[in-house]
Amino acid sequence: MNGEERFCPVYAAIELLQEKWTLHIIRALLEAPRGFNELARAIGGCNSATLAQRLERLVELGVIEKEVTSHMPPRTRYSLTEAGRALEDVVQAIEAWGRRYLQVPG
């Protein structure tokens, strides 16, 4: 059995998307490209080291792209690639499910 026969795209996608903060990052970038600090504020609660790690992994996988806009001071801008934008349907499906089946806290 070769590697392709053992590869399960559903398993691989779930492994990626279940990582804490990953879907929050994608959702924030669906709204607009953002700089690192702007992205941190948009998702809220994620420490800088974790955010940097998640962003690096998503760039490596081709889900988002990183553009260096300035070296002094250092500034970057993150945006979704075609693969990242394709996750919009996934995020919308999760939102629709949550609205239908989860209760509003209160």
Side-chain angles (χ1 to χ4, degrees), residues 4-72:
E4 191 173 309
E5 291 172 359
R6 286 180 280 174
F7 175 75
C8 175
V10 174
Y11 183 86
I14 290 171
E15 283 294 302
L16 169 65
L17 297 176
Q18 76 174 352
E19 289 182 4
K20 192 168 184 181
W21 303 111
T22 296
L23 281 172
H24 295 283
I25 292 166
I26 291 165
R27 183 174 182 230
L29 292 176
L30 281 167
E31 295 173 4
R34 299 175 189 260
F36 185 88
N37 291 331
E38 185 182 10
L39 190 53
R41 285 189 299 275
I43 63 175
C46 181
N47 71 54
S48 294
T50 301
L51 180 57
Q53 181 185 46
R54 294 297 182 272
L55 290 170
E56 184 178 319
R57 176 153 164 74
L58 291 168
V59 167
E60 287 173 5
L61 292 171
V63 176
I64 65 174
E65 53 193 8
K66 174 183 176 178
E67 176 188 2
V68 177
T69 59
S70 170
H71 292 285
M72 274 301 175

